[in-house]
Amino acid sequence: MKFNPILDTLQTYEAGKPIELVVRDFGLSADSIIKLASNENPLGASKKVIQALKDNAHLVHLYPDDSYYALKEALCYHYSILAQEIIIGAGSDQIIEFCIHAKAPSKVLMAKTTFAMYEIYSKSIGAKILKTKSDSHNLSEFLELYKLHNPEVIFLCIPNNPLGECLDKKEVFSFLKQISKNTLVIVDGAYQEYAAFKDGNKEIKPKELIEQFPNCIYLGTFSKAYGLGGMRVGYGIAKEEIISHLLKIRPPFNITTLSLCAATIALKDKEHIQKTLQNNFSQMQSYEEFAKQNKIDFIPSFTNFITFLLERIDSNALADFLLKRGIIIRNLKSYGLNAVRITIGTKEQNQKLFKAFEEFLKASV
């Protein structure tokens, strides 16, 4: 059977190993395993969300309200935007797919090391991929490539996954002023809640972004700070001209009834978000201290994960060692880096990881 030959050039996206697979492969109990690979909220969803799901479980046989009125209304209030400036997706990555298919670019520009789905979706339609020389976001390199190749789509991941660095809003806006209004710029804000909490200079407000730059779309998600990774809800915010085109290729009922309910409640639970952000950066300090004590380089992070750059040890060996002890982290070897990305967990989870990591370092001497 013949398929699109472009697919032969694509690598399947490598998600973090699920707990169930580790249970099967290593004979460990599910309760003993900690997953610090996929940047999920270690505190889980808020109690209000859990209760709302119980209260609405009897509605699972019904299709959701395809206008997504309640969630859009909540987002309108949260960001001071209009309902016609919002599109809802099954995770923000579905909206990335909408953007690529709607714009149908021949060339797409992105950082060398960034979210893998940018390249996968772009290559799937035959677009040429332009990447900076630097792993992290270097806007001088972006601008140089832009002027040379005139790509129709640019991806900016702010903060960047999987490295964790984050551009300042001021430098982002300065860059955008030099970009043609015919170029679609996708600003991925999946981790913006974390960046804004840590440093106000990093915060990009969707309303301000699209008012100043109508060729931009802002992406947000409920999978990270809001603790709804399993519910798969994301959103895009842009001017109506962009959203109206994306809606033409959105499938009906692409979000479940319970997912919509959970996201709407989660957005309003400010207390849980504050607790999440405080735990994240409080615990991140322990990772930075651990790295310094063990002479491991790391990238200062504005997300809910930290990237360790390894020189003396191999990331494959470390990831395998920890996996056999029920600790799942993300090996970045597939990105061409001898590095690991570790989600910031609870204090108990982090201490378990540090202990096993130290065992590995002693055994590697």
Side-chain angles (χ1 to χ4, degrees):
M1 183 180 294
K2 292 184 178 180
F3 291 93
N4 184 342
I6 291 174
L7 298 181
D8 294 335
T9 69
L10 300 183
Q11 290 186 337
T12 303
Y13 179 75
E14 181 186 336
K17 283 185 171 58
I19 291 175
E20 294 81 2
L21 180 62
V22 179
V23 169
R24 294 195 299 269
D25 287 351
F26 299 104
L28 303 171
S29 66
D31 292 341
S32 69
I33 297 170
I34 59 173
K35 186 182 178 188
L36 301 176
S38 300
N39 307 334
E40 296 138 331
N41 186 335
L43 305 183
S46 77
K47 293 180 181 179
K48 291 179 180 178
V49 167
I50 300 301
Q51 187 58 52
L53 291 174
K54 292 178 180 178
D55 294 343
N56 289 277
H58 64 287
L59 299 175
V60 294
H61 65 295
L62 299 176
Y63 285 117
D65 168 14
D66 198 47
S67 73
Y68 304 151
Y69 175 81
L71 179 54
K72 285 186 177 181
E73 185 178 52
L75 286 167
C76 285
Y77 179 80
H78 185 74
Y79 287 120
S80 299
I81 54 175
L82 304 175
Q84 57 265 36
E85 296 173 333
I86 304 170
I87 184 170
I88 306 298
S92 56
D93 51 318
Q94 186 180 44
I95 300 168
I96 295 170
E97 184 179 18
F98 293 163
C99 289
I100 292 298
H101 282 278
K103 187 66 175 171
S106 62
K107 289 170 283 188
V108 177
L109 174 59
M110 64 191 71
K112 179 183 176 183
T113 302
T114 192
F115 185 41
M117 292 309 299
Y118 303 157
E119 182 172 355
I120 291 173
Y121 283 134
S122 300
K123 277 188 173 180
S124 73
I125 65 161
K128 179 181 179 181
I129 307 301
L130 307 169
K131 291 186 176 182
T132 59
K133 293 180 181 178
S134 300
D135 286 298
S136 58
H137 282 60
N138 184 316
L139 291 182
S140 295
E141 293 178 12
F142 267 86
L143 191 59
E144 182 180 351
L145 288 169
Y146 174 75
K147 290 180 177 179
L148 186 63
H149 297 284
N150 193 31
E152 299 97 322
V153 171
I154 299 174
F155 281 101
L156 297 177
C157 194
I158 311 171
N160 186 28
N161 174 30
L163 300 182
E165 91 281 358
C166 188
L167 296 166
D168 280 354
K169 184 197 80 170
K170 185 176 180 180
E171 58 184 330
V172 173
F173 279 30
S174 177
F175 169 77
L176 293 174
K177 288 176 182 177
Q178 303 175 74
I179 303 302
S180 166
K181 299 305 179 186
N182 292 319
T183 301
L184 178 64
V185 181
I186 302 170
V187 177
D188 190 341
Y191 298 90
Q192 261 291 310
E193 289 85 1
Y194 296 96
F197 181 86
K198 184 177 182 179
D199 184 350
N201 293 319
K202 310 293 184 182
E203 183 178 13
I204 294 179
K205 296 179 179 179
K207 180 179 177 64
E208 183 181 5
L209 176 71
I210 67 173
E211 288 294 334
Q212 291 193 37
F213 308 101
N215 58 317
C216 289
I217 181 168
Y218 175 96
L219 305 184
T221 183
F222 288 91
S223 296
K224 307 304 178 186
Y226 292 97
L228 300 181
M231 304 303 285
R232 306 304 296 127
V233 187
Y235 54 91
I237 298 173
K239 283 299 184 179
E240 187 175 2
E241 180 189 7
I242 294 176
I243 297 299
S244 64
H245 283 83
L246 301 186
L247 287 172
K248 292 178 180 179
I249 55 178
R250 179 187 70 85
F253 312 119
N254 59 322
I255 303 297
T256 71
T257 299
L258 292 185
S259 294
L260 285 169
C261 171
T264 304
I265 298 299
L267 189 64
K268 299 176 181 179
D269 194 344
K270 309 297 184 185
E271 184 179 345
H272 184 69
I273 286 294
Q274 192 70 10
K275 183 178 179 181
T276 290
L277 298 173
Q278 289 173 344
N279 173 78
N280 182 74
F281 289 107
S282 172
Q283 289 301 309
M284 188 177 288
Q285 291 178 6
S286 63
Y287 276 88
E288 294 174 350
E289 292 168 3
F290 176 86
K292 291 173 183 176
Q293 289 171 3
N294 291 281
K295 298 181 180 179
I296 297 171
D297 289 335
F298 64 91
I299 299 174
S301 176
F302 294 85
T303 66
N304 66 341
F305 61 83
I306 190 166
T307 298
F308 283 178
L309 305 172
L310 309 175
E311 294 183 1
R312 298 174 289 116
I313 57 179
D314 180 68
S315 64
N316 286 336
L318 172 62
D320 290 344
F321 181 91
L322 294 176
L323 192 61
K324 292 174 183 178
R325 286 152 182 79
I327 303 171
I328 312 171
I329 63 172
R330 186 62 183 268
N331 181 5
L332 298 184
K333 193 74 80 172
S334 62
Y335 285 86
L337 298 173
N338 184 38
V340 293
R341 187 192 70 188
I342 308 172
T343 305
I344 308 300
T346 63
K347 182 177 181 179
E348 293 73 23
Q349 290 173 331
N350 299 331
Q351 290 302 319
K352 181 177 179 180
L353 177 135
F354 296 149
K355 182 178 179 180
F357 204 136
E358 287 176 342
E359 290 176 9
F360 174 81
L361 292 174
K362 290 177 182 178
S364 302
V365 175

